[in-house]
Amino acid sequence: AGPRGNTVSNVEVNGELPNGKRVQQVTLRTLGGAQSQTVSSRTEQGRVYFTVPYLHTYILAILELA
């Protein structure tokens, strides 16, 4: 279960990848970097798709490319 309060859940994110690149891992970091979480992703037609389980204020998504 995620944090309670003013949060949004299941935020769908997608973005264009540089030509020839693929995503090895997506890591989410919370405010201040105190917590991190790896989430699954998929790639279709040069775009990466993943879901942020919950969001409060902001989160940093780190995409490791290959």
Side-chain angles (χ1 to χ4, degrees):
R4 297 173 187 255
N6 295 328
T7 62
V8 291
S9 300
N10 299 319
V11 179
E12 296 181 18
V13 179
N14 75 78
E16 187 175 355
L17 293 171
N19 284 338
K21 295 291 184 178
R22 62 181 178 81
V23 175
Q24 286 187 314
Q25 182 171 295
V26 177
T27 304
L28 305 176
R29 295 229 175 177
T30 60
L31 183 65
Q35 297 178 352
S36 65
Q37 174 184 13
T38 301
V39 295
S40 61
S41 65
R42 64 182 169 81
T43 302
E44 288 182 16
Q45 297 180 342
R47 298 189 73 81
V48 60
Y49 297 84
F50 61 93
T51 301
V52 176
Y54 55 87
L55 176 63
H56 182 80
T57 309
Y58 73 86
I59 200 159
L60 176 66
I62 302 166
L63 281 66
E64 294 181 32
L65 303 179

